[in-house]
Amino acid sequence: RSEVWGSLKQVLPSSSFQKLTLGFGIQKSAAVLDFEKTFHASLDRRTALGELAPGTLNLYNGISEKFFGWLHERGVRKMDEITRAVVENYLVGRKKGTTRNQPLAKATIITEMRVLRIIFKLAIEEEVIRVSPLKDIRKIEEDEPNPTPFSAEEILRMEETPKTRQTDLVYKLFRHTGMRRGDIAELQW
């Protein structure tokens, strides 16, 4: 756990480090690629057992593929290389967006963090890592956990308000799907 330990691991050839630490019962660090396969196999088992709905499975797969792909692009090959700073950099990058994507909404970042917590929980259970890199990252609170729906009178007034075809379509989309403003704004054909 000392800084010297990490320095030795980086400086010494792998075989020398293994010989030096032979009596400490330290396991080799798992490859990110191998754990990614383990995670997806776990999702498949949980889906087959009926623990995960297809929509949840798609959400977990989508987010995990983005995260593992980002790790591969950055050259993170071993699970013990995934530090708090690495995860924070991923989340900051996702929040900012790229030239291809719009910045993510706060609710989307919260969802991504939830899935990352599930990934690292499995990594701990499988003894791939000892401590989650998200351990000390506080949970982001949602803006309004219990939104107040419109009253019947407000809905009636909105229904009766004259609308153009476009505003009527937007109103019906909100009213009949229950989608949030940010979700509707991100819709694409």
Side-chain angles (χ1 to χ4, degrees):
R1 293 182 184 168
S2 74
E3 292 178 23
V4 175
W5 190 266
S7 299
L8 282 175
K9 190 171 185 179
Q10 290 177 353
V11 173
L12 291 176
S14 174
S15 59
S16 299
F17 184 78
Q18 289 174 4
K19 287 178 187 174
L20 179 66
T21 59
L22 190 61
F24 292 102
I26 295 173
Q27 61 192 34
K28 290 183 180 178
S29 178
V32 171
L33 193 58
D34 292 338
F35 178 72
E36 181 179 3
K37 292 174 187 172
T38 301
F39 179 72
H40 289 292
S42 168
L43 292 180
D44 292 340
R45 284 192 305 276
R46 290 180 62 196
T47 303
L49 292 171
E51 292 179 22
L52 291 178
T56 305
L57 174 67
N58 290 339
L59 176 72
Y60 287 8
N61 277 330
I63 291 172
S64 65
E65 286 170 8
K66 286 176 190 156
F67 178 65
F68 288 121
W70 184 88
L71 291 174
H72 297 310
E73 288 174 6
R74 304 291 178 295
V76 178
R77 302 285 181 249
K78 300 288 184 182
M79 287 298 291
D80 64 359
E81 295 173 1
I82 304 174
T83 63
R84 176 184 174 157
V86 169
V87 175
E88 285 175 341
N89 287 337
Y90 168 76
L91 291 170
V92 166
R94 294 287 293 145
K95 176 70 177 150
K96 287 181 179 176
T98 64
T99 54
R100 293 176 289 163
N101 302 327
Q102 295 296 321
L104 295 182
K106 185 177 183 180
T108 306
I109 292 295
I110 291 169
T111 302
E112 292 219 3
M113 285 182 71
R114 286 181 183 149
V115 174
L116 291 177
R117 288 184 196 287
I118 292 167
I119 290 171
F120 294 121
K121 180 181 179 207
L122 179 66
I124 291 169
E125 289 171 2
E126 294 287 323
E127 298 182 357
V128 173
I129 59 174
R130 291 183 185 186
V131 178
S132 170
L134 288 173
K135 180 181 178 249
D136 294 327
I137 297 178
R138 71 175 184 80
K139 292 181 181 178
I140 300 171
E141 297 298 323
E142 294 188 33
D143 290 334
E144 198 175 322
N146 298 316
T148 307
F150 292 112
S151 69
E153 181 184 320
E154 290 171 322
I155 290 174
L156 186 59
R157 279 197 322 232
M158 284 188 277
E159 294 267 345
E160 293 172 349
T161 302
K163 300 172 198 67
T164 65
R165 284 181 56 183
Q166 289 177 327
T167 57
D168 188 46
L169 177 63
V170 171
Y171 169 74
K172 287 178 180 175
L173 189 62
F174 275 114
R175 176 86 172 101
H176 296 290
T177 65
M179 293 176 72
R180 295 176 293 200
R181 180 181 55 204
D183 295 333
I184 287 178
E186 293 177 2
L187 287 177
Q188 297 179 5
W189 287 107

